[in-house]
């Protein structure tokens, strides 16, 4: 089983839609979780950290479910500029970071 | 806003040659990382560096690779004898710490390495 699994998509949604991504992980020792976005041929950019209590940043909401070992990202009121690949990222408390393969999102006008 | 910088943006080299990729992490960050991303594939961890030594490395980071912090600002990745399969985008990242939000890593724009 892969350490981090994401639905590769692509998700094709109209502007204004709500879209949700999930990411599952296999290592129960994983401690810190993040969502990054990556535009084509660019560096990953931090979107938000993910906390057990859930956290929200504007149109973005992230949740962590340790019992089921998954994290989620909800994007409300999608914009054209949200089109990107969304990367689920975690580390196990050591110095190693594990990236998911990413979920591609296309927001259409 | 402080940012991670990397040079060069694109490096072309012949198989068997040595390359050095350079990074300047964010100034108050203490942890430094190198990643690679082969075109169309996921980002892969190579190595982390703290307190002037390697903290952890992946199975990709073999004897051909080395890292160094030669001065107070630069962080370098050296590939001793490049292979065709080393062609990839190499990202440098840095973080302030290792716990919670302090572990948020900030990435440089990357160096595209092409081995011919």
């Amino acid at each position: 089983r892969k350490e981090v699994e994401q639905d590769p998509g692509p998700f094709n949604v109209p502007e204004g839609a709500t879209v949700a991504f999930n990411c599952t992980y296999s290592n129960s020792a994983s401690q810190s979780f993040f969502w990054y976005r990556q535009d084509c041929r660019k560096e990953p950019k931090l979107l938000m950290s993910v906390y057990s209590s859930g956290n929200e940043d504007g149109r973005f909401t992230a949740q962590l479910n340790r019992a089921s070992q998954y994290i989620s990202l909800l994007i409300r009121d999608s914009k054209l500029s949200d089109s990107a690949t969304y990367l689920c990222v975690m580390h196990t408390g050591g110095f190693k970071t594990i990236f998911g393969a990413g979920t591609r999102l296309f927001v259409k006008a | 806003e402080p940012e991670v910088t990397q040079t060069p943006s694109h490096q072309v080299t012949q198989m068997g040659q040595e390359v050095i990729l350079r990074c300047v992490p964010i100034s108050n960050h203490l942890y430094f990382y190198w990643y690679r991303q082969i075109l169309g594939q996921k980002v892969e961890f190579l190595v982390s560096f703290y307190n002037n030594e390697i903290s952890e490395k992946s199975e990709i980071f073999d004897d051909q690779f080395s890292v160094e912090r030669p001065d107070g600002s630069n962080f370098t990745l050296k590939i001793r004898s490049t292979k065709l399969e080393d062609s990839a985008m190499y990202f440098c990242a840095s973080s302030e710490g290792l716990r919670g939000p302090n572990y948020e890593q900030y990435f440089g724009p990357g160096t595209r390495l092409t081995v011919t």
Side-chain angles (χ1 to χ4, degrees):
Chain A
R1 186 181 169 186
K2 290 180 185 173
E3 289 182 285
V4 178
E5 292 206 61
Q6 292 185 253
D7 181 342
F11 285 61
N12 292 289
V13 303
E15 269 187 299
T18 296
V19 61
F21 309 132
N22 281 338
C23 168
T24 58
Y25 61 95
S26 58
N27 188 338
S28 59
S30 297
Q31 292 191 1
S32 298
F33 303 87
F34 308 88
W35 283 102
Y36 281 73
R37 67 170 279 166
Q38 187 175 30
D39 295 291
C40 191
R41 294 179 180 259
K42 299 283 191 181
E43 74 273 23
K45 286 189 189 291
L46 178 68
L47 188 61
M48 57 200 306
S49 303
V50 188
Y51 305 119
S52 297
S53 54
N55 49 306
E56 189 172 308
D57 183 2
R59 298 181 293 108
F60 299 85
T61 301
Q63 295 274 358
L64 164 63
N65 185 317
R66 287 192 185 272
S68 301
Q69 293 186 204
Y70 76 85
I71 68 171
S72 63
L73 178 69
L74 182 78
I75 306 175
R76 287 180 298 278
D77 189 22
S78 300
K79 312 288 185 199
L80 293 176
S81 57
D82 293 334
S83 297
T85 298
Y86 289 83
L87 308 175
C88 167
V89 179
M90 64 194 61
H91 85 104
T92 57
F95 293 86
K96 183 178 176 182
T97 307
I98 302 165
F99 277 74
T103 297
R104 295 191 72 186
L105 172 67
F106 294 103
V107 181
K108 305 167 294 185
Chain B
E1 184 178 316
E3 57 182 20
V4 177
T5 59
Q6 289 185 245
T7 53
S9 57
H10 190 191
Q11 173 95 45
V12 181
T13 189
Q14 288 191 321
M15 200 166 48
Q17 295 297 304
E18 174 183 287
V19 293
I20 297 177
L21 310 183
R22 291 183 167 79
C23 167
V24 178
I26 293 173
S27 61
N28 66 328
H29 285 187
L30 300 176
Y31 299 84
F32 315 118
Y33 314 86
W34 282 103
Y35 296 87
R36 80 172 185 190
Q37 187 173 30
I38 295 169
L39 188 63
Q41 298 188 22
K42 69 174 188 176
V43 176
E44 299 175 289
F45 170 81
L46 291 178
V47 66
S48 57
F49 192 86
Y50 168 68
N51 201 25
N52 280 320
E53 58 183 29
I54 290 174
S55 314
E56 190 154 357
K57 57 185 180 179
S58 71
E59 56 278 2
I60 302 168
F61 194 89
D62 61 21
D63 293 343
Q64 293 287 78
F65 292 88
S66 62
V67 288
E68 192 178 32
R69 188 154 164 82
D71 53 45
S73 59
N74 290 284
F75 179 50
T76 62
L77 174 70
K78 183 193 292 186
I79 308 175
R80 247 177 288 282
S81 177
T82 50
K83 309 183 188 69
L84 293 176
E85 54 265 36
D86 293 327
S87 294
M89 182 73 97
Y90 288 81
F91 293 111
C92 172
S94 67
S95 69
E96 195 173 342
L98 278 188
R99 298 249 181 261
N102 290 338
Y103 193 70
E104 292 171 355
Q105 295 183 32
Y106 295 87
F107 282 71
T111 293
R112 179 163 299 283
L113 177 65
T114 302
V115 182
T116 61

